[in-house]
Amino acid sequence: MAEGDKKKVAKKAHCSRNPVLARGIGRYSRTAMYARRAMYKRKTKTTETKIEKKMKVKTPSTITKTVGGDKNGGTRVVKIRKMPRYYPTEDVPHKLKNHGKKPFSQHKRNLRATITPGTVLVLLTGRHRGKVRSHTDSFVTQSPSCFLHPLGPLALNRVPLRRAHQKFVIATATKVDISGMKIPKTLSDAYFKKKRLRRPRHQEGEIFDTEKEKYQLTVQRKEDQKAVDSQLLPLIKKVPQLKGYLRSSFCLSNGVYPHKLVF
Amino acid sequence: MTGLLCKAIFAGYKRGLRNQREHTALLKVEGVYTREEVDFYLGKRCAYVYKAKKNTVTPGGKPNKTRVIWGKVMRAHGNSGMVRAKFSSNLPAKAMGHRCRIFYPTLPDLNYTANP
């Protein structure tokens, strides 16, 4: 017991002190857990004093708005939370709210521990399957999807700046040290997202005339590619044989079984 | 395309001695001969590829005569590396003894901790 400790030391959280007997059932009762966790020592909230209560700002229940139009100039008092303007004849039971069911966009995304910035990845799907490329990160944690940002570099294996999904990628143990690299800020999920090419609305006589827009290589992409590549290439050249490695493709051949490979 | 896929043979349907259940196929994966090795392939996509007379649409290419039945490796079967797979429609019996392909998604890493 660190009695001399006046400061609050951030203690490491203990694992659960309640061993699990079966899912959802712990070994100890609620009161037993109270004692085990020493909650009697941890009561922090004292009752609110009257002054504190007064200091708490109440959200106003009404608002005063100015009147325009005919009766201009005056003010009227408007309730912020209005009475419902419709009451159903029968009482409909409320649906229970879902607990913790998030829409897909808010799902937690985990990234595989083996994928770190600078890891060399093998792409498994898409045009560039089999290609070996190095991976930059910084957006990975930010991006709400689990997309990665691998780079070619373009000069070595013709793989441009593109997103890849971590599921469709093998992370190898090879790493390039890219801590010194600066990545243009523009690269983000939105930047890489496929542009939905909207067909023009149906017009008279032009129903079959939809122009399917092809993907146009924008100047910005080229510049970004160059900016990133130029930083990446010298780093790669430092590592012996890495250049050749990145140029080659990953391939399984006779007698080579992926479950036996060490990546 | 052998570059990135694993070869397997469709060995038969899941069966007891006298009845077979065609909804689950048994695949023998090349190179996998123990149950521990099978772990790698669980959850992987597999495909039975075959040819037919008429041209059909191919995603990303011109219509050609190749067709696919897609499936998934479900679980191990037995101790010697066989695998059970379920396909979107049951495999045709003529496919027995023929090639099935197994591939992505992820070939998992050893320190795989995530739930994508």
Side-chain angles (χ1 to χ4, degrees):
Chain A
M1 304 297 282
E3 301 210 15
D5 247 89
K6 297 273 171 146
K7 289 195 203 153
K8 278 199 184 150
V9 178
K11 289 227 176 99
K12 242 177 121 180
H14 196 278
C15 67
S16 167
R17 291 176 202 267
N18 194 358
V20 173
L21 294 177
R23 189 168 72 141
I25 302 176
R27 163 75 183 78
Y28 295 104
S29 70
R30 195 182 279 246
T31 33
M33 280 311 295
Y34 187 88
R36 294 190 109 218
R37 290 175 65 199
M39 294 303 274
Y40 52 85
K41 283 201 224 156
R42 290 205 242 169
K43 291 198 193 150
T44 43
K45 200 170 187 199
T46 51
T47 46
E48 257 183 15
T49 56
K50 279 205 175 145
I51 302 172
E52 281 173 342
K53 257 194 193 156
K54 278 192 193 158
M55 302 285 272
K56 251 204 219 164
V57 181
K58 263 188 168 178
T59 47
S61 53
T62 60
I63 255 188
T64 2
K65 287 187 169 175
T66 50
V67 177
D70 268 1
K71 308 200 175 144
N72 206 345
T75 55
R76 59 191 177 105
V77 177
V78 168
K79 270 195 186 178
I80 289 187
R81 299 185 107 214
K82 302 190 184 147
M83 308 292 293
R85 51 174 175 198
Y86 170 72
Y87 287 97
T89 41
E90 288 179 14
D91 267 338
V92 182
H94 281 297
K95 269 196 182 167
L96 294 174
K97 280 205 173 146
N98 264 336
H99 171 67
K101 303 252 162 72
K102 294 197 204 136
F104 181 70
S105 52
Q106 287 176 25
H107 276 182
K108 195 164 130 188
R109 317 286 163 143
N110 287 331
L111 186 63
R112 283 191 269 165
T114 39
I115 300 183
T116 58
T119 323
V120 174
L121 308 169
V122 179
L123 294 185
L124 291 175
T125 65
R127 280 195 94 212
H128 301 284
R129 73 199 95 175
K131 295 266 180 76
V132 178
R133 35 194 331 214
S134 55
H135 160 61
T136 45
D137 108 317
S138 43
F139 336 100
V140 181
T141 42
Q142 292 171 22
S143 69
S145 58
C146 23
F147 278 104
L148 311 173
H149 294 259
L151 325 168
L154 192 65
L156 291 187
N157 50 25
R158 304 298 311 165
V159 182
L161 276 179
R162 226 180 184 229
R163 287 194 300 181
H165 190 94
Q166 62 163 327
K167 255 201 156 220
F168 297 102
V169 135
I170 308 177
T172 61
T174 318
K175 292 203 204 307
V176 185
D177 181 16
I178 63 165
S179 44
M181 261 183 69
K182 289 211 192 90
I183 301 162
K185 296 265 172 166
T186 48
L187 302 184
S188 71
D189 239 15
Y191 173 80
F192 281 117
K193 211 171 165 142
K194 262 199 191 142
K195 313 275 181 282
R196 250 303 173 81
L197 305 165
R198 286 260 149 235
R199 300 217 194 111
R201 297 258 167 129
H202 283 318
Q203 291 158 18
E204 292 291 322
E206 286 189 23
I207 301 179
F208 295 115
D209 198 19
T210 50
E211 290 176 29
K212 287 218 172 147
E213 287 181 35
K214 282 192 159 180
Y215 168 68
Q216 299 288 344
L217 191 58
T218 58
V219 177
Q220 201 206 7
R221 286 240 177 176
K222 283 194 194 166
E223 283 180 10
D224 284 335
Q225 180 78 56
K226 269 199 210 147
V228 170
D229 270 2
S230 58
Q231 297 176 53
L232 191 55
L233 277 178
L235 292 174
I236 291 175
K237 285 196 181 145
K238 273 197 224 157
V239 181
Q241 296 172 337
L242 189 59
K243 193 161 158 229
Y245 181 53
L246 288 180
R247 287 189 94 198
S248 60
S249 305
F250 174 75
C251 201
L252 297 172
S253 57
N254 234 350
V256 177
Y257 302 115
H259 66 273
K260 295 222 156 100
L261 291 180
V262 174
F263 289 106
Chain B
M1 273 286 286
T2 33
L4 288 173
L5 43 86
C6 313
K7 299 188 258 195
I9 299 228
F10 170 40
Y13 298 116
K14 171 180 171 215
R15 56 182 302 168
L17 183 54
R18 297 178 171 93
N19 301 316
Q20 63 183 16
R21 309 295 173 195
E22 290 91 1
H23 46 62
T24 307
L26 302 178
L27 302 182
K28 182 144 204 73
V29 188
E30 245 183 53
V32 185
Y33 303 116
T34 59
R35 204 190 173 94
E36 289 76 37
E37 292 172 356
V38 168
D39 273 347
F40 172 84
Y41 294 94
L42 296 181
K44 298 279 175 292
R45 221 156 185 229
C46 46
Y48 169 61
V49 185
Y50 60 107
K51 302 218 168 132
K53 182 170 173 185
K54 279 198 181 169
N55 280 337
T56 49
V57 188
T58 306
K62 280 190 267 180
N64 58 17
K65 298 190 172 12
T66 316
R67 300 184 187 190
V68 195
I69 304 182
W70 289 103
K72 200 179 199 183
V73 172
M74 302 300 293
R75 50 185 288 194
H77 180 80
N79 292 323
S80 305
M82 288 277 281
V83 129
R84 293 194 208 178
K86 273 189 167 230
F87 287 82
S88 58
S89 56
N90 297 346
L91 288 188
K94 73 170 186 186
M96 279 200 231
H98 286 59
R99 172 75 63 225
C100 247
R101 311 180 185 183
I102 302 188
F103 24 16
Y104 53 83
T106 35
L107 304 189
D109 311 314
L110 298 175
N111 297 324
Y112 191 35
T113 50
N115 295 318

